[in-house]
Amino acid sequence: MANILVVEDEKSINDLITMNLKLVGHHFCKSYNGTDVIQFLKQEKFDLILLDIMLPGMDGFELMQHIRAYNIPVIFLTAKESLSDRITGFELGAEDYIIKPFEILELLARINVVLRRAKPSDDLFVLGEAEVKLLERQVLKNDQPVELTAREFDLLEVLIRNRNIALSREKLLELVWGYDFLGETRTVDVHIRQLRKKLGWEERIVTIFKLGYRLNAEV
């Protein structure tokens, strides 16, 4: 998992982001102003920075001049939504530019995309006797290949990348099947049962109050 610096002066937003980073297994540091970021960069190694633009002390655009020397990928999280601001962000070297308000699951998905580009070797997940190579879309159990359908693997990847977060059937349909899926939500249950059977994860994929699912790596 990654070590992420969250630079956001609104405490409630900072807490929301870091709480969800912790849930999916990332480490993090919090910063509430631009000035402290310089010191953080000198003291610790980060895999990613989530950076607000309007900050006390030094704004996000100014900070990019310092961050580039450390070659750390940056995602801007900001209320500045004009085209000129977005262009400036990308020209300064940001990997992504997300406008507030945002959905936390979308943020986590975009974080995963950036981390995959920066650290492709981290795309290995091991739980019990199963080993999942996300980049190669390959699954092994006791070192033997496990045959999954494309949809089963897509579902497995979403569960892995959002582990310890309860995802409703409707959210899983949106993330795995797409917005235009018009089928019965129980199709999620069928695919979950297949994953449990094939991977031997009967107790690993937890049903939360019968409303959704969570992959629990701690069971």
Side-chain angles (χ1 to χ4, degrees):
M1 288 288 101
N3 189 27
I4 299 174
L5 176 61
V6 181
V7 188
E8 167 59 62
D9 62 321
E10 291 189 43
K11 187 177 184 303
S12 59
I13 297 177
N14 202 316
D15 289 345
L16 174 66
I17 294 170
T18 52
M19 177 185 70
N20 282 277
L21 290 177
K22 182 178 180 180
L23 281 173
V24 297
H26 293 305
H27 303 288
F28 61 84
C29 289
K30 296 182 178 184
S31 178
Y32 298 99
N33 65 76
T35 307
D36 289 347
V37 173
I38 308 301
Q39 195 61 34
F40 271 112
L41 294 174
K42 293 177 181 178
Q43 294 175 342
E44 194 162 346
K45 178 177 173 56
F46 295 101
D47 301 302
L48 175 66
I49 298 176
L50 303 180
L51 182 61
D52 192 6
I53 294 175
M54 294 180 287
L55 294 164
M58 186 181 299
D59 72 33
F61 288 157
E62 292 178 89
L63 280 170
M64 285 297 291
Q65 311 297 330
H66 300 273
I67 294 170
R68 281 190 298 190
Y70 293 87
N71 197 31
I72 303 171
V74 171
I75 296 177
F76 276 120
L77 298 176
T78 178
K80 293 175 73 67
E81 60 182 9
S82 72
L83 177 59
S84 62
D85 286 324
R86 294 199 299 271
I87 291 173
T88 298
F90 285 117
E91 287 181 340
L92 287 171
E95 293 287 333
D96 205 346
Y97 192 105
I98 301 176
I99 297 170
K100 302 175 184 175
F102 52 84
E103 284 201 26
I104 196 66
L105 286 176
E106 179 184 1
L107 173 61
L108 294 174
R110 294 202 189 192
I111 287 171
N112 288 331
V113 169
V114 172
L115 290 175
R116 281 203 301 272
R117 288 200 297 258
K119 300 176 63 178
S121 60
D122 278 2
D123 274 8
L124 175 66
F125 178 80
V126 179
L127 182 59
E129 299 170 345
E131 179 179 292
V132 183
K133 298 179 180 180
L134 296 171
L135 194 62
E136 302 172 34
R137 294 181 66 86
Q138 182 182 30
V139 180
L140 302 174
K141 182 181 177 184
N142 293 322
D143 296 323
Q144 297 299 313
V146 177
E147 295 297 328
L148 299 183
T149 67
R151 194 70 76 189
E152 286 171 349
F153 190 92
D154 291 343
L155 175 59
L156 176 60
E157 181 172 6
V158 166
L159 290 169
I160 289 173
R161 296 199 182 280
N162 297 280
R163 56 191 175 276
N164 293 328
I165 294 178
L167 298 173
S168 68
R169 292 187 182 94
E170 290 75 16
K171 179 57 69 173
L172 286 170
L173 284 171
E174 176 186 320
L175 294 173
V176 179
W177 279 262
Y179 290 94
D180 58 347
F181 183 82
L182 300 177
E184 165 60 46
T185 59
R186 293 291 174 176
T187 192
V188 174
D189 300 1
V190 174
H191 283 74
I192 290 288
R193 284 197 296 270
Q194 285 297 105
L195 285 177
R196 281 173 161 162
K197 181 178 179 180
K198 291 182 178 182
L199 299 176
W201 284 356
E202 286 79 4
E203 302 299 327
R204 301 287 188 175
I205 301 176
V206 182
T207 306
I208 308 298
F209 302 123
K210 300 187 182 300
L211 297 176
Y213 289 99
R214 181 182 73 200
L215 174 57
N216 188 352
E218 306 301 326
V219 174

